[in-house]
Amino acid sequence: MDQKTEKKALTLKTLTKSTVWDIQENDIFRMWDNAEKDVEVKENLRHFADIVRSAFMIEELKEDTKLVRAKYEKQGFKVGQVKMEDGTKVVWAIKKRPITRVTDLTYENIRHISAAKLVEVLDRNFGGGWDSLSQSIKDIIESGFDISTTTLPANRLHKKGGMYEKKVADGYDVLEVSKGTWVEAIFAKVKPEAEKPRMKFNSYPGEEDNGEADDEDVEIEDNYNKPDEDDVDFGEPNDDDITEDNYSTMMDLGAADPDEEAEELADYVDD
């Protein structure tokens, strides 16, 4: 199996506020049950609950009856029992937080929606077009998607061989925002995730090399101890190389003769 497509199964211990958007309600209950086997997780369940709450709505059922469960399940919640840090068992109703408005978009969830979903969200919130969005929302969107726009008369937007046709052929989803007789087209395409280079640091003197270097590691060149260009030693100076053109002294030509200063002082005292 391709290593890039092979993903390690998520557990409660490895869950983050980004990867939590990859799982569903039933996964939460499964992970919680498996956490019973990990002492470290069992002692920090409230921390993991906070991570889950960043992507899921959690309601604790005070009354665990068929009627109450049915009420929540009708609203799309999944209901199940979980054990807390102190060993007590509670009943949770869990539902994935919906992404329906641009204000629901975050840096954590933006890479967990499709371009079609983004276009749907933008369509539900648009009025003035792309420029009507706040800069902070634009930054979030552009962290996960390539965005480009064009505004043309309605009868020219779909011109054969034009930008619209080329973008769609290149895999972009598009939203059209009507502006009178003109139309703004907003094109969106998921950005490929850039792989972060791994850094490899040189060992300290005396530290053993374990020989487990990774071919993909990036070797960072150590320039710290290299002399600056201005510090390069060019050898001992040669008197033959000194000429009247390159010779200079540190003499202050404007300084007064000390004997002259003494004579002036003596004259002042006599007066």
Side-chain angles (χ1 to χ4, degrees), residues 201-215:
F201 296 96
N202 292 330
S203 302
Y204 291 105
E207 185 178 1
E208 294 184 2
D209 186 355
N210 58 18
E212 296 180 356
D214 192 333
D215 292 338

Side-chain angles (χ1 to χ4, degrees), residues 8-24 28 31 47-56 96 106-109 111-112 193 196:
K8 189 176 180 180
L10 288 172
T11 65
L12 206 58
K13 192 173 183 177
T14 61
L15 210 58
T16 68
K17 288 187 177 181
S18 176
T19 58
V20 70
W21 288 93
D22 284 328
I23 61 177
Q24 301 304 320
I28 300 296
M31 290 179 177
H47 164 70
F48 296 111
D50 288 339
I51 293 177
V52 173
R53 283 191 177 93
S54 68
F56 292 84
K96 192 78 163 283
T106 67
Y107 284 107
E108 286 75 26
N109 65 28
R111 284 195 169 273
H112 300 277
E193 282 197 71
K196 296 180 180 179

Side-chain angles (χ1 to χ4, degrees), residues 12-13 35 38-46 48 85:
L12 206 58
K13 192 173 183 177
D38 193 321
V39 177
E40 184 181 348
V41 175
K42 286 174 63 177
E43 293 177 350
N44 294 280
L45 287 176
R46 294 190 183 280
F48 296 111
E85 290 173 339

Side-chain angles (χ1 to χ4, degrees), residues 1-8 195 216:
M1 183 182 293
D2 190 345
Q3 291 182 351
K4 292 184 178 180
T5 58
E6 183 180 5
K7 291 186 177 180
K8 189 176 180 180
E195 293 186 6
E216 296 179 359

Side-chain angles (χ1 to χ4, degrees), residues 10-239:
L10 288 172
T11 65
L12 206 58
K13 192 173 183 177
T14 61
L15 210 58
T16 68
K17 288 187 177 181
S18 176
T19 58
V20 70
W21 288 93
D22 284 328
I23 61 177
Q24 301 304 320
E25 293 84 356
N26 288 333
D27 297 321
I28 300 296
F29 292 115
R30 175 182 55 77
M31 290 179 177
W32 215 271
D33 288 339
N34 293 336
E36 285 290 316
K37 306 170 186 177
D38 193 321
V39 177
E40 184 181 348
V41 175
K42 286 174 63 177
E43 293 177 350
N44 294 280
L45 287 176
R46 294 190 183 280
H47 164 70
F48 296 111
D50 288 339
I51 293 177
V52 173
R53 283 191 177 93
S54 68
F56 292 84
M57 295 179 286
I58 300 178
E59 297 285 343
E60 185 176 329
L61 274 58
K62 301 300 181 183
E63 296 181 19
D64 184 18
T65 64
K66 288 184 178 181
L67 185 62
V68 173
R69 284 189 175 227
K71 175 185 174 182
Y72 278 96
E73 289 170 351
K74 188 176 181 180
Q75 298 176 48
F77 285 81
K78 298 292 183 182
V79 182
Q81 191 178 73
V82 295
K83 185 182 289 187
M84 304 309 292
E85 290 173 339
D86 57 4
T88 58
K89 294 182 179 181
V90 298
V91 177
W92 276 358
I94 304 178
K95 182 181 179 181
K96 192 78 163 283
R97 292 186 182 278
I99 301 175
T100 57
R101 304 171 62 84
V102 291
T103 50
D104 295 327
L105 298 172
T106 67
Y107 284 107
E108 286 75 26
N109 65 28
I110 192 63
R111 284 195 169 273
H112 300 277
I113 63 173
S114 64
K117 176 65 176 179
L118 176 64
V119 166
E120 177 189 323
V121 172
L122 294 177
D123 189 28
R124 192 176 291 114
N125 290 271
F126 262 171
W130 177 252
D131 289 336
S132 69
L133 295 174
S134 67
Q135 188 58 50
S136 59
I137 295 297
K138 287 181 181 178
D139 289 343
I140 290 173
I141 294 173
E142 291 179 326
S143 71
F145 292 86
D146 281 320
I147 301 291
S148 57
T149 67
T150 185
T151 303
L152 294 169
N155 60 354
R156 289 182 51 196
L157 182 63
H158 296 273
K159 182 180 178 181
K160 187 174 179 61
M163 180 179 181
Y164 189 104
E165 185 178 276
K166 291 177 180 178
K167 287 288 186 182
V168 172
D170 196 26
Y172 284 79
D173 283 70
V174 59
L175 173 65
E176 297 180 29
V177 181
S178 178
K179 295 184 175 182
T181 58
W182 291 63
V183 176
E184 178 180 9
I186 298 95
F187 304 95
K189 183 179 180 180
V190 175
K191 279 184 178 178
E193 282 197 71
E195 293 186 6
K196 296 180 180 179
R198 295 173 57 190
M199 293 186 180
K200 174 182 165 186
F201 296 96
N202 292 330
S203 302
Y204 291 105
E207 185 178 1
E208 294 184 2
D209 186 355
N210 58 18
E212 296 180 356
D214 192 333
D215 292 338
E216 296 179 359
D217 287 345
V218 177
E219 185 72 33
I220 305 300
E221 184 178 0
D222 179 13
N223 295 314
Y224 183 81
N225 293 315
K226 285 187 177 181
D228 294 334
E229 292 181 2
D230 295 339
D231 297 335
V232 176
D233 185 3
F234 293 100
E236 294 294 327
N238 188 337
D239 292 341

